[in-house]
Amino acid sequence: NCKTPDQIKNEILNFYSIVQPDRLQQVRRGEIPDFTTEILQWTFRFGLPNLVKNLREKYLGEFGEIEAPAVFRIDELKEGEPKQLPANLPPVDIGQLREKLLAFYGTYNPQKLQEGIEDLIKYVKKKGVEPLNKKLRARYNDDLDTFQGQDVIEYKKKLFERLVGFYGDHDPSMIGNGLAKIIAWAEKRGEEKLNYHLREKYNADLSTYQA
C-alpha cells in the first residue's frame, strides 16, 4: 500500500491549505518558491513516517485536529497521552457533548459528520473538553463553549453558501482555505466591511449572492 508521489504531494498540499493557507496562496501566485516540492523531495529521502512525525511536532500544539491529509488524523495521536484522567478533570456529559459536536460540525465542517465524531468523544474522555476547545479555536475561531444559537448558525450557513458562490465565480482557490475565518471576521466587523474589502480586491461583493 505504498503511496504514489502524486498522492503524497496532494496530502502535503491539503495539509498546508489548512495550516498555512496564506503561504500556499503565495506559491500559487508565484510570489515565493514552491516549498511543497522541497518537502516532497525531503520525504523521498527520509520517508513518510518522518514527515508525519515532524508535522506533528511542529503543528500539534496549535492545530490538533487536521482532517485533510490521511497521514495526520486526531485518532492517530495516541503516543504520550495519559492512560488515566487527571484527578481534577471535570466529568463530561457524553450525550450533551455529542449534541454540541453535531451542531458545531454541522455548521463548520459537515464532512466531519460523514466521517464520524467518535474519535473526538474518545479524545475528550482522555483529555477533557478544554484541550479540544483550544484546537477548535485555532481551526475555526470558535469552540464548544462559545458556539452560538440557531439563528446565528443559520446566518453562518447562509453566509458560507454565499461566500462559496462568490469565490466560485471570482477566486475558486479560496474555497476551503479559510472561509470559517472570513465568517468570523464578518461577525466581528460586519458584512458591509467585508463587502468593502471584497470590492477592493475583486470589484464585486456579496450583495448579489443569495443562499
Side-chain angles (χ1 to χ4, degrees), residues 2-15 36-37 40-41 43-44 48 51 69-71:
C2 294
K3 295 180 184 294
T4 67
D6 285 343
Q7 287 174 322
I8 297 174
K9 176 76 170 181
N10 286 334
E11 289 186 349
I12 292 171
L13 288 171
N14 286 337
F15 182 87
T36 62
T37 298
L40 184 62
Q41 293 171 348
T43 304
F44 291 153
L48 186 58
L51 173 64
V71 298

Side-chain angles (χ1 to χ4, degrees), residues 13 53 55 67 71 87 112 125 135-136 155 160 184 209:
L13 288 171
K53 180 176 181 292
L55 292 178
E67 293 98 344
V71 298
K112 177 62 179 173
K125 286 180 179 178
K135 295 166 185 177
L136 294 177
Y155 168 75
F160 177 83
Y209 289 83

Side-chain angles (χ1 to χ4, degrees), residues 15-16 19-20 23 35 39 51-63 72:
F15 182 87
Y16 279 94
V19 300
Q20 289 191 354
R23 189 179 177 200
F35 64 92
I39 294 173
L51 173 64
V52 175
K53 180 176 181 292
N54 287 341
L55 292 178
R56 279 202 187 103
E57 291 175 351
K58 184 171 184 180
Y59 292 105
L60 176 56
E62 189 174 358
F63 296 91
F72 193 87

Side-chain angles (χ1 to χ4, degrees), residues 11 25-26 32 35 44 76 84 92 117-118 139 141 152 165-166 198 201 210:
E11 289 186 349
Q25 287 300 313
Q26 287 180 297
I32 62 174
F35 64 92
F44 291 153
E76 293 179 351
Q84 295 182 345
V92 177
I117 58 173
E118 292 307 310
R139 175 72 174 87
N141 199 33
V152 177
F166 179 89
L198 292 176
K201 185 170 183 179
Q210 300 299 323

